[in-house]
Amino acid sequence: MDKIDAKILNILQRDCFVPVKEIAKMVSLSYTPAYERIRHLEESGVIKRSVSILDPKKLGIKLFVYCNITLKEQSKKSLMDFEKTVNKLPEIMEVISLSGVYDYMLKIATVDIEAYNEFVVNKLANIPNIGQYHSNIVLSIVKDETAYPIPEGD
């Protein structure tokens, strides 16, 4: 990956709908080389997918919770079973395996505290092998970035 690829990625991370013609102009290339670079970045897996980022408030989602999970058992099968189960729950936006005190951290999005309580009682608490869970309610989101820092070099 060279500095032109880095520039292209920085553009696409901020807006994946920028036309290739405009990207080409921004990185001082003609259309075809710019298109081929983007296609190569997609085929090589550097670009995993292009998505629209939605405004959760406009969807009625007003509560985010980071829930730390400790499992009772640490066998490979129990870890895989837990991961398979939580990946099926649409309220869970992100599942992170951790080192340290907790085994996992879940990012959960719901409409309000009542919906979160219902999620905990009816879904989370019924997942086998959970020893403990600790909820951290998000009071405000200070920074919400989706773009990775990619140095463009000189």
Side-chain angles (χ1 to χ4, degrees), residues 5-80:
D5 288 339
K7 286 180 182 181
I8 291 170
L9 290 172
N10 279 321
I11 294 165
L12 290 173
Q13 283 193 104
R14 294 196 171 26
D15 183 357
C16 69
F17 297 117
V18 175
V20 175
K21 186 176 181 180
E22 196 173 319
I23 293 170
K25 190 175 183 180
M26 294 166 83
V27 298
S28 302
L29 290 176
S30 62
Y31 178 89
T32 301
Y35 174 80
E36 288 174 357
R37 282 176 177 264
I38 293 168
R39 193 178 55 146
H40 179 265
L41 291 165
E42 291 170 340
E43 289 173 355
S44 67
V46 174
I47 298 174
K48 289 175 28 175
R49 64 180 183 237
S50 298
V51 300
S52 296
I53 298 172
L54 308 179
D55 183 339
K57 288 180 185 173
K58 292 186 178 177
L59 300 172
I61 297 169
K62 299 176 193 151
L63 183 72
F64 291 95
V65 178
Y66 285 91
C67 184
N68 296 306
I69 305 287
T70 304
L71 300 180
K72 294 177 193 172
E73 185 184 331
Q74 305 293 317
S75 70
K76 182 177 181 177
K77 181 183 179 336
S78 63
L79 296 173
M80 300 297 279

Side-chain angles (χ1 to χ4, degrees), residues 81-129:
D81 288 347
F82 173 80
E83 291 175 13
K84 186 177 178 182
T85 301
V86 295
N87 275 313
K88 293 178 184 174
L89 300 174
E91 298 89 348
I92 299 176
M93 304 291 297
E94 192 171 4
V95 179
I96 302 169
S97 175
L98 301 171
S99 66
V101 176
Y102 301 107
D103 298 313
Y104 291 92
M105 180 169 49
L106 312 178
K107 179 182 178 182
I108 301 164
T110 64
V111 295
D112 55 28
I113 195 72
E114 290 83 12
Y116 179 67
N117 185 57
E118 187 175 309
F119 169 80
V120 169
V121 170
N122 296 321
K123 295 182 181 179
L124 191 63
N126 293 317
I127 297 174
N129 197 32

